Amino acid sequence: MSIAENIARVRANIAAAAKEAGRKPEDVLLVGASKMNDAAACREAVAAGIDALGENRVQEMTAKLAEDAYRGAPLHFIGHLQRNKVRQVVGRADLIQSVGSLALLDEIEKAAAKLEIVQDILLEVNVAGEEAKSGFSPEELPSGALAALEREHVRVLGLMTIPPADAEREANLRYFDKVRALFVDMEEKLFHNGLQYLSMGMSGDYEDAIRAGATMVRVGTAIFGSRHYV
Ligand SMILES: *Cc1c(COP(=O)(O)O)cnc(C)c1O
């Protein structure tokens, strides 16, 4: 299957899930998670109409930017971002999806202020409170959102989450529901219905995520095939 065929199949599945949830297919953005795939694969996805491409390693993103891999589609940063690499991402990624701590938020604010831009971000929720994972816990999220609102050079567009990799389907669904509830609550109370994106769902669970309210899914292997780690 080619990348274009895979995207068409994923789009059809997205449309069906959106319909089941009483929503329009175009209300769900498809982000291609292109890590470990080369610039040619990225260009193929752009040509096939992907809504955005997401990278999760700074070094790889920088190399592929130099190859002009993303021309024609917005670029998202979706991986764990170390504070000392923030300057390589701010102003280059259209959306940083993985802002999961106050320290990272401040570093992004500083870098964006220096460039005199406003950086669009999502706040990442560590929904299961996993030790090894970054992200605001559900309890910390309101203070993270307030802190972001106070900073002039970041703009919060929504939430992102990655549930525990080993969660059974039922537990996974509960995590999606929980983050959806956090999104609705935060949107009403702090953003006055001004949030756009609820980013959740990957190759194995994007249809469940859409039925639970996702407006953005990040799909890697179902589009690009399995990754070959070196
Ligand atoms: C790789 C990745 C994805 C996509 O994962 P697949 O299971 O290959 O679809 C989604 N989100 C993030 C943050 C990723 O790093």
Coordinates of all heavy atoms in Angstrom, one line a residue, residues 124-138 160-162:
E124 N 0.0 19.3 27.2 CA -0.1 17.8 27.2 C -0.5 17.4 28.6 O 0.0 17.8 29.6 CB 1.3 17.2 26.9 CG 1.3 15.7 27.0 CD 2.6 15.1 26.5 OE1 3.5 15.8 26.1 OE2 2.7 13.8 26.6
V125 N -1.5 16.4 28.6 CA -2.0 15.9 29.9 C -1.5 14.5 30.1 O -1.6 13.6 29.2 CB -3.5 15.8 29.8 CG1 -4.1 15.4 31.2 CG2 -4.1 17.1 29.4
N126 N -0.8 14.3 31.2 CA -0.4 12.9 31.6 C -1.6 12.3 32.4 O -1.6 12.3 33.6 CB 0.8 13.1 32.5 CG 1.4 11.8 32.9 OD1 0.9 10.7 32.7 ND2 2.6 11.8 33.6
V127 N -2.5 11.8 31.6 CA -3.8 11.4 32.1 C -3.8 10.3 33.2 O -4.6 10.3 34.1 CB -4.8 11.1 31.0 CG1 -4.3 9.9 30.2 CG2 -6.2 10.9 31.5
A128 N -2.8 9.4 33.1 CA -2.7 8.3 34.0 C -1.7 8.6 35.1 O -1.4 7.7 35.9 CB -2.5 7.0 33.3
G129 N -1.1 9.8 35.1 CA -0.1 10.1 36.1 C 1.1 9.2 36.0 O 1.7 8.8 37.0
E130 N 1.5 8.8 34.8 CA 2.7 7.9 34.7 C 4.0 8.6 35.0 O 4.2 9.7 34.6 CB 2.8 7.4 33.2 CG 1.7 6.5 32.8 CD 1.7 6.2 31.3 OE1 1.2 7.0 30.6 OE2 2.3 5.2 30.9
E131 N 4.8 7.9 35.8 CA 6.0 8.5 36.3 C 6.9 8.9 35.2 O 7.5 10.0 35.2 CB 6.7 7.4 37.2 CG 6.2 7.3 38.6 CD 6.5 8.6 39.5 OE1 7.5 9.3 39.2 OE2 5.7 8.9 40.4
A132 N 7.1 8.0 34.2 CA 8.1 8.2 33.2 C 7.7 9.2 32.1 O 8.4 9.5 31.2 CB 8.6 6.9 32.6
K133 N 6.4 9.6 32.2 CA 5.9 10.4 31.1 C 5.8 11.9 31.4 O 5.4 12.2 32.6 CB 4.5 9.8 30.7 CG 4.1 10.2 29.3 CD 2.8 9.5 28.9 CE 3.0 8.2 28.2 NZ 1.7 7.6 27.8
S134 N 6.0 12.7 30.5 CA 5.8 14.1 30.8 C 4.4 14.5 30.6 O 3.5 13.7 30.1 CB 6.7 15.0 29.9 OG 6.7 14.6 28.5
G135 N 4.0 15.8 30.9 CA 2.7 16.2 30.8 C 2.2 16.7 32.2 O 2.6 16.2 33.2
F136 N 1.2 17.6 32.1 CA 0.5 18.0 33.4 C -0.4 16.9 33.9 O -1.1 16.3 33.1 CB -0.3 19.3 33.1 CG 0.5 20.5 32.8 CD1 0.7 20.9 31.5 CD2 1.2 21.2 33.8 CE1 1.4 22.1 31.1 CE2 1.9 22.4 33.5 CZ 2.1 22.8 32.2
S137 N -0.4 16.7 35.1 CA -1.4 15.7 35.7 C -2.7 16.5 35.6 O -2.8 17.7 35.5 CB -1.1 15.4 37.1 OG -1.3 16.5 37.9
P138 N -3.8 15.7 35.6 CA -5.2 16.4 35.6 C -5.3 17.5 36.7 O -5.9 18.5 36.5 CB -6.1 15.2 35.8 CG -5.4 14.1 35.2 CD -4.0 14.3 35.5
M160 N -3.4 17.9 24.4 CA -2.9 16.6 23.8 C -2.7 15.6 24.8 O -2.4 15.9 26.0 CB -1.6 17.0 23.1 CG -1.0 15.8 22.3 SD 0.0 14.7 23.3 CE 1.6 15.0 22.5
T161 N -3.0 14.3 24.5 CA -2.7 13.3 25.5 C -2.2 12.0 24.8 O -2.6 11.8 23.6 CB -3.9 13.0 26.4 OG1 -3.5 12.3 27.5 CG2 -4.9 12.1 25.7
I162 N -1.4 11.2 25.5 CA -1.0 9.9 25.0 C -1.3 9.0 26.2 O -0.6 8.9 27.2 CB 0.5 9.8 24.7 CG1 0.9 11.0 23.8 CG2 0.8 8.5 24.1 CD1 2.4 11.1 23.7

